[in-house]
Amino acid sequence: MSRKWPDPTRVLVVEDDQATARLIQARLEMEGLKVFMAPNGLDGLEILQREAIDLVTTDLMMPAMNGFRLVQEIRDLPPPKGRVPILLISSNQNEQDMIRCLAAGADDYMTKPISAQVLVERLWRLHQRSSSAG
Amino acid sequence: MHLPPALVLQALIWGTVVLGTLVAGLVILGTGIQFRQDRQNRHRIARYQAWETDLATYLFSGEDTPRPFPRIAKEDRQLFQKFLTRYHATLAGREAEALRELYLGLGVHQSIPSRLRHRQATVRAQAAQEVGIFKLGEYLEAVVPLLDDPVPYVTHLAAQALTWSGDLRFAQPVVDWVLREERYQRERLLRVLEGFGPDLLPWLEKHLKPPAADPEPWILFALLAGSHRHRESEPRLLELLAEPNVDLQASALKALAALADPLTYPKVEPLARHEAWPVRAQAAKALGLIGGPDAIPALIALTSDPIYEVRRNAAQGMADLGHAGTSALTWLAEDPTADRFARDIARERLEWADERGHQ
């Protein structure tokens, strides 16, 4: 399926596993997206405040600030930054974690292992939804 | 005894020389080992960095057939195996398939039978992991003996390899292995058994001894039925509620709570009055999930239970029911005629919610 991302579309990837992060980065850059990387929630939040980020994908379990806390911190920011679509990726299939994250304001949730193709598709849907919501 | 001073001096000199040589030898040896390790690490980092780029191109080239991966030097093949296994928990779908193709292209899987019998535990573990990750069905039989390996992480990886295959021929040895482990480990090991998928549940029903003869495997059955939300197991779970084993009853309740079928409520409700508190505590968790607001009278009764865990679960269960449950908790907290235990736990739960700004 062909997607026409607006240029530039900036994605923040918050992931402590560098191998995974670099693969996600490579796949997203192949889509023509501008990717910002952060190894934990604290650094991610800093990048989000500094840059005009359009989408966030974050891991759940991370040092310094975990994904759950990051979602809460982002949602506490004033709009438009506080409304940025967030896709949470976790290696944990714990239902309670999933519910907590969605309740905290994450827009979507994926559990590892993930298909990069599905990841891009989900980000595209999130982006479409947020664009049409204005 | 007096030794001549010249002899003492000579002995001291030679002693110092020997000691110095020994220390120098050790320093040189240590430096050599350190240098070798540094060189290996630098090599590994350089290889990994190059392969990461190559892998991204290989996986995401955007064409129907993946681009060929650069040739791996023979001396780097072991390193490359480790590199590939890092991605097993990350990649799924077409990318996982492409990763498997890449692994098979190395040809190292042919050494798996001998590596599964290797004297080094790390080599055995790596081989078992490869069988599981890259779905090498032809080596599964050779993995089974590793379930008796003296090294725990080797047995764990062997069990994982067998369950990921989804092949129920290996269900019996893996279930036996889980049952040999300490009970406190079981919940963790349940994750391994989940690898077989929900098909394991009918298999267990068919192959296990009756619960009265051996309740332990049925506890696993109940916990698995809950984690898979396996509705077809519901009739058996209801039967397990009548078994005399407290842990089995509690596990069956946990599973029924996960299924949340309101039709099971009449069979679950009487367990709120069970003589064993672990069963009552689990019933307190399950009642609201199964019965919804209809469970409020039974939950109110449990808030005056002599055991704190039961009262806490009942109050939590009421709070989870939303407005109806919270109203009941508020009524309990404010009613001077209510049981003291019930009043206190209702207040505690409401204060807890208040502090967090939600109910």
Side-chain angles (χ1 to χ4, degrees), chain B residues 65-256:
Chain B
T65 46
R67 281 189 201 175
F69 199 88
R71 200 182 148 274
I72 305 296
K74 201 173 176 186
E75 62 273 18
D76 283 339
R77 285 191 182 170
Q78 204 182 352
L79 199 58
F80 189 65
Q81 277 166 249
K82 285 185 183 161
F83 170 80
L84 288 180
T85 51
R86 291 198 314 167
Y87 293 97
H88 84 279
T90 307
L91 292 172
R94 210 172 64 181
E95 289 102 22
E97 271 305 308
L99 216 59
R100 184 174 183 270
E101 291 298 318
L102 199 54
Y103 169 81
L104 291 176
L106 285 175
V108 286
H109 58 287
Q110 283 147 8
S111 65
I112 279 185
S114 61
R115 284 194 281 136
L116 286 171
R117 294 189 304 270
H118 200 276
R119 60 184 173 80
Q120 277 181 31
T122 49
V123 177
R124 296 196 299 277
Q126 169 79 18
Q129 199 182 24
E130 285 169 33
V131 173
I133 292 171
F134 300 114
K135 312 250 176 267
L136 307 173
E138 64 271 37
Y139 300 115
L140 285 169
E141 293 281 359
V143 171
V144 176
L146 289 188
L147 290 172
D148 295 315
D149 199 280
V151 182
Y153 73 84
V154 176
T155 56
H156 196 95
L157 288 169
Q160 247 173 9
L162 295 169
T163 58
W164 285 347
S165 72
D167 188 337
L168 291 172
R169 280 183 303 142
F170 303 105
Q172 190 68 60
V174 179
V175 169
D176 290 346
W177 167 72
V178 172
L179 291 169
R180 281 201 301 272
E181 296 294 311
E182 296 288 339
R183 188 182 261 197
Y184 74 93
Q185 298 263 36
R186 298 255 177 93
E187 204 118 340
R188 187 173 63 82
L189 299 178
L190 211 62
R191 297 257 167 260
V192 179
L193 278 181
E194 281 172 6
F196 278 121
D199 287 348
L200 180 63
L201 289 153
W203 184 92
L204 287 169
E205 278 203 83
K206 195 174 161 193
H207 290 86
L208 294 183
K209 286 180 195 161
D214 189 7
E216 290 293 321
W218 287 96
I219 294 174
L220 286 182
F221 168 85
L223 295 173
L224 274 172
S227 64
H228 282 304
R229 287 183 166 61
H230 193 247
R231 201 155 288 282
E232 292 79 359
S233 297
E234 193 180 279
R236 178 66 78 163
L237 290 169
L238 289 170
E239 283 173 28
L240 295 179
L241 289 181
E243 290 297 327
N245 185 294
V246 168
D247 289 335
L248 182 53
Q249 285 175 308
S251 304
L253 273 174
K254 197 175 175 180
L256 287 165

Side-chain angles (χ1 to χ4, degrees), chain A residues 17-20 22-24 26-27 30 91-92 94-95 112-118, chain B residues 49 52 55-57 59-62 86-95 191 229:
Chain A
D17 175 13
Q18 292 306 296
T20 304
R22 279 194 283 270
L23 264 192
I24 293 176
R27 182 64 186 84
M30 209 161 276
S91 48
N92 189 349
N94 187 316
E95 191 180 44
K112 291 178 192 170
I114 56 169
S115 153
Q117 191 62 32
V118 175
Chain B
Q49 281 175 346
E52 274 170 9
L55 187 67
T57 313
L59 292 174
F60 310 133
S61 58
R86 291 198 314 167
Y87 293 97
H88 84 279
T90 307
L91 292 172
R94 210 172 64 181
E95 289 102 22
R191 297 257 167 260
R229 287 183 166 61

Side-chain angles (χ1 to χ4, degrees), chain B residues 23-44:
Chain B
V23 170
L26 282 173
V27 168
I28 290 166
L29 186 71
T31 311
I33 291 170
Q34 188 62 46
F35 177 76
R36 188 165 166 265
Q37 279 178 348
D38 286 350
R39 203 177 59 174
Q40 281 175 343
N41 281 337
R42 277 198 302 274
H43 178 71
R44 183 177 53 82

